[in-house]
Amino acid sequence: MSDDRKIIIFDTTLRDGEQSPGASMNLAEKLEVAQALADMKVDVIEAGFPISSPGDFEAVREVARQVRGPVICGLARCNEKDIDRAWEALKSAERPRIHVFLATSAIHREFKLKMDKNEILARAIAGVERAAGYLDDVEFSPEDAARTEPDFLCAVVEAAIKAGATTVNIPDTVGYATPAHYANVIRTLRERVPNIDKAVISVHCHDDLGLAVANSLAAVEAGAGQIECTINGIGERAGNCSLEEVVMAMRPRHDYSQCSTNIVSERLVPTSRLVSNVTGMLVQRNKAIVGRNAFAHEAGIHQDGMLKERSTYEIMRPEDVGFTKTDLVLGKHSGRAALADRIKHLGYHLTGEQLQAVFEQFKVLADKKKEVYDSDIASLVENQMSEIPESWSLVSYQMHCGTGGIPQVALTLARGAEQVTETVQAGDGPVDAVFLAIEKITGTDVKCREFRVHSVSMGKDAQAEVNVELEKNGATFRGRGASTDSIEASARALLTAINRMLATQGTPLHPQYTVE
Ligand code: KIV
Ligand code: ZN
């Protein structure tokens, strides 16, 4: 144990993770995730890229203001405007970090930046120096480092450290590296950069070849001290190194890694579910560590072995990563305190008002369903969090449909005190008819790019959860809805997405339904 090295866990779910298509989160969702990451004791939270949009700026600023414990980091390109904006967002953090990046590989230099090596060096130094003028904790990333010529990479890293970088991150931006290659890059930097001991070497791997976790572990073995990763491995393209996998790989195999982290591993499953719920990105059943089947033993021989001695087929215990023995928790007689306790366990932080609203919905659901599972509760909380004030909500719908006939729906929506009813007889089926009625009332005309239904828990009376993704003017908007009635869940999902769209793009003035 005396040789144990503490590896810094840098979570970029809110920045690189949020860049994955369809994973965008609103401010309340980002704050929930940031708080859950702090509860799990990640060392650094990369909260966003402040210059990239007003929404990202606000998210970084609020995480910096509200979340205590981890270092809060904001991303910036190597230019004054980006760095100043990042500092503006981060300045109220307890421990702020600015992360500046600039591509260094020949491909990026020639085709993207159109800059030569000297210009890159000068720009990197200027960027780090500007950030270091604001704070002591500066990270520098030579983007596409894994494809950068070793001599030039060493020169840039040395210059960045001299200019004030306290962490040098070595990204495998395009997921090109293999474990032996990547470990060699880290070893080369340690051997050839004279001031390398003045900075922490960080690794940032993408999963294009499915090697992000393996590459990160190889880099740690070669001397890296920080791993950049995301919950559920979400991120650009095939994603980033998965936090839960890389952290757990160092735990049962501590004999080999001789490394540990500060992560509270029991928070891994709740945090994974939270991120999956807020992003609408489902976790595959057989996903290592947090997938539903990760600890399910199906084969008779395995079950027999497990009954005799669990270590025959389990290298870690499900409870170590946050699976509870059963997630059947509440029923219609459960009170507010019990619900509040489950919500806290699931990683959500609600205000008293939000808790009251969820409690009321919980009572309605518990009346319809005998057994209320953690996943049902998470779904209710998500419904509450995705509500946008002053927006359309579903009041009721009546439907007539059947095989061979044209469906007919009478649907009523409310916005403020106003209620509007539309009757539609059209569509391919009941969901299409409901969507047409909603589009008519809200005055929108959207393209539905994705429509997914799945069961929130188990049993015939399980809630259906619907996720939709809409496209309008090149932007995408996600919505989710849950109900024991799958048509109602579809209507709610579409309305959430439309409300998000209207909040961003403005409400169209529908001649018939304009509400004063
Ligand atoms: O993949 C990458 O290179 C990045 C950098 C901004 C660190 O995400
Ligand atoms: Zn990245």
Side-chain angles (χ1 to χ4, degrees), residues 15-16 173 204 206 236 240:
R15 201 278 297 169
D16 221 340
T173 304
H204 177 112
H206 280 268
E236 278 282 344
N240 287 56

Side-chain angles (χ1 to χ4, degrees), residues 77-80 83 100 102 119-133 138 140 159-160 163:
R77 287 165 299 191
C78 269
N79 68 58
E80 294 183 359
I83 295 165
V100 288
L102 180 65
E119 286 170 303
I120 297 280
L121 261 176
R123 179 77 75 91
I125 293 168
V128 172
E129 281 177 348
R130 186 158 191 99
V138 178
F140 173 73

Side-chain angles (χ1 to χ4, degrees), residues 55-241:
D56 245 49
F57 176 83
E58 199 190 355
V60 177
R61 191 185 54 192
E62 288 314 307
V63 172
R65 278 185 184 157
Q66 297 183 33
V67 178
R68 290 291 170 256
V71 168
I72 307 299
C73 176
L75 185 68
R77 287 165 299 191
C78 269
N79 68 58
E80 294 183 359
K81 260 176 119 179
D82 275 41
I83 295 165
D84 296 352
R85 191 83 175 135
W87 171 243
E88 195 53 36
L90 287 165
K91 64 186 178 195
S92 49
E94 196 176 41
R95 292 189 294 147
R97 172 182 296 185
I98 297 179
H99 175 187
V100 288
F101 74 101
L102 180 65
T104 50
S105 66
I107 297 174
H108 281 236
R109 290 195 312 264
E110 186 182 341
F111 298 107
K112 189 178 86 174
L113 299 173
K114 303 195 188 323
M115 286 165 87
D116 66 22
K117 287 181 178 172
N118 288 334
E119 286 170 303
I120 297 280
L121 261 176
R123 179 77 75 91
I125 293 168
V128 172
E129 281 177 348
R130 186 158 191 99
Y134 286 122
L135 38 56
D136 295 334
D137 190 345
V138 178
E139 175 166 327
F140 173 73
S141 285
E143 192 190 2
D144 204 15
R147 291 194 299 173
T148 300
E149 306 92 311
D151 287 348
F152 186 53
L153 184 63
C154 288
V156 176
V157 166
E158 182 181 347
I161 297 172
K162 205 161 157 208
T166 45
T167 301
V168 282
N169 181 42
I170 309 301
D172 179 20
T173 304
V174 291
Y176 166 78
T178 59
H181 160 208
Y182 200 49
N184 202 35
V185 173
I186 305 300
R187 267 195 298 271
T188 303
L189 290 169
R190 290 187 70 207
E191 282 162 16
R192 293 186 22 202
V193 174
N195 53 0
I196 196 74
D197 56 330
K198 297 208 166 52
V200 173
I201 302 180
S202 168
V203 290
H204 177 112
C205 298
H206 280 268
D207 208 29
D208 300 65
L209 296 174
L211 291 171
V213 171
N215 288 342
S216 304
L217 292 170
V220 164
E221 210 184 316
Q226 172 176 289
I227 299 176
E228 303 202 352
C229 45
T230 61
I231 300 292
N232 299 335
I234 64 171
E236 278 282 344
R237 307 179 310 279
N240 287 56
C241 171

